Amino acid sequence: MWEYTDKVKDHFLHPRNVGEVEDADAVAEVGSIACGDALKLSFKLDENKRIKEVKFQTFGCASAIATSSALTEMVKGMTLEEAEKITNQDIANYLGGLPQEKMHCSVMGREALEKAIDVYKGRAPKTVEGNIVCDCFGVTDIEIERAIRENNLATLEDVTNFTKAGGGCGNCHGAIQEIIDRVRAELSGKPAAKPKLSNIQKIRMIEETIEREIRPALKHDGGNIELIDVVGNRVLVATRGACASCQASNQTLKHFVEAKLKELVWPELTVEEVSQ
């Protein structure tokens, strides 16, 4: 059971500024009912270009309602430049904190505010940047990376809590972990470690590398190579054509074939020739 602060409960049970501003200067919608959360935000400015009136309509859980209500209270009286500086963490802090599993609600509020300001300023609608990583919730690699950087996220669970990515079928967990590893490595100034490969993935990548990078070069000189087996990090191959009778075939296997596989597949691979 999640623990909610008194302020979260208050904004859920008694939400402020519900509805839509009449003759609004800007209206924006984010999220999707199909994905579980949606938010519509509208505001009107006064003669000094400060937010005079702001309202929201949301479809979602208690935290979605509370964060939307809190956001509308926070931005009243602000200039758009001041409002643009609000982060999702600011919204959570205003409420005295949110359960980690519900931080994505504060992210949705921040996104709605950004979009509404863009509408008012006549900025072109932002196209979806990056590639979809989580098909269940339509979350891109760019969105995941931004959440990691802004909120210092370190685990798959963190990313799911802030973006919902990975909270469905789970097929994207590997891709999300790779993004986490890469971004965390960049933030620490250390090179990212290569993700671990299953044996099936390793064999498939070895086959693809041989077909794409190695075999064409060998065939150019009348030779060829056949993958016989993969045992751990040992790649067992048989030489064919001119390579089979070439005295320098061992050098070719080590300095070309093995080097390519180390570079493009896994740095600990070794190539061994077997008779077939």
Side-chain angles (χ1 to χ4, degrees):
M1 182 65 67
W2 295 307
E3 292 291 331
Y4 292 105
T5 67
D6 290 340
K7 203 164 184 179
V8 170
K9 295 174 185 177
D10 181 40
H11 275 271
F12 166 57
L13 296 172
H14 309 99
R16 285 68 153 169
N17 312 305
V18 177
E20 186 170 355
V21 174
E22 189 173 344
D23 297 323
D25 289 321
V27 180
E29 297 183 44
V30 296
S32 167
I33 291 178
C35 294
D37 294 299
L39 171 60
K40 185 176 184 179
L41 189 74
S42 55
F43 66 73
K44 180 184 289 187
L45 304 180
D46 62 18
E47 61 276 8
N48 296 315
K49 299 298 181 181
R50 292 184 174 273
I51 298 175
K52 174 183 178 182
E53 187 178 5
V54 55
K55 292 187 177 182
F56 78 95
Q57 295 173 314
T58 190
F59 175 90
C61 62
S63 294
I65 294 170
T67 53
S68 301
S69 173
L71 175 63
T72 59
E73 289 290 278
M74 292 172 68
V75 300
K76 280 184 181 178
M78 285 186 174
T79 65
L80 297 185
E81 289 69 28
E82 291 169 338
E84 279 185 303
K85 296 177 182 178
I86 290 177
T87 67
N88 66 282
Q89 192 62 55
D90 291 332
I91 300 171
N93 291 342
Y94 180 87
L95 290 166
L98 283 171
Q100 286 297 299
E101 296 84 355
K102 293 297 181 179
M103 284 299 293
H104 63 269
C105 296
S106 65
V107 174
M108 183 172 68
R110 191 273 316 281
E111 290 175 346
L113 179 61
E114 288 180 347
K115 189 173 181 179
I117 293 173
D118 285 343
V119 169
Y120 176 80
K121 293 190 173 183
R123 297 170 181 160
K126 292 179 180 177
T127 57
V128 177
E129 295 182 338
N131 300 309
I132 296 292
V133 172
C134 177
D135 289 320
C136 296
F137 296 104
V139 185
T140 69
D141 52 352
I142 300 297
E143 293 172 301
I144 293 171
E145 180 170 336
R146 180 180 182 182
I148 294 170
R149 292 183 183 279
E150 289 185 350
N151 301 283
N152 196 30
L153 308 184
T155 67
L156 174 61
E157 183 179 7
D158 289 341
V159 170
T160 301
N161 291 340
F162 277 76
T163 68
K164 299 184 76 172
C169 67
N171 288 340
C172 59
H173 286 184
I176 294 172
Q177 188 62 55
E178 288 184 23
I179 297 172
I180 294 171
D181 292 342
R182 174 175 57 79
V183 175
R184 297 295 301 178
E186 290 176 10
L187 294 175
S188 67
K190 298 177 181 178
K194 282 200 172 186
K196 291 183 179 179
L197 298 175
S198 69
N199 204 48
I200 291 176
Q201 289 174 316
K202 188 185 296 181
I203 293 171
R204 185 179 298 120
M205 291 180 68
I206 290 171
E207 291 175 332
E208 291 174 352
T209 302
I210 289 175
E211 188 63 34
R212 184 181 65 251
E213 302 287 340
I214 297 171
R215 183 168 287 122
L218 297 180
K219 281 188 172 182
H220 182 74
D221 294 324
N224 207 338
I225 191 173
E226 181 181 350
L227 178 64
I228 304 301
D229 200 0
V230 177
V231 182
N233 287 323
R234 296 167 59 217
V235 182
L236 308 182
V237 302
T239 54
R240 297 287 186 255
C243 290
S245 57
C246 178
Q247 294 183 349
S249 62
N250 188 56
Q251 296 297 315
T252 300
L253 291 179
K254 286 296 177 184
H255 297 298
F256 175 58
V257 178
E258 185 176 291
K260 276 291 182 184
L261 293 177
K262 283 178 178 286
E263 174 191 356
L264 300 175
V265 180
W266 192 250
E268 297 176 11
L269 293 179
T270 60
V271 174
E272 300 176 22
E273 184 176 8
V274 296
S275 299
Q276 283 282 326

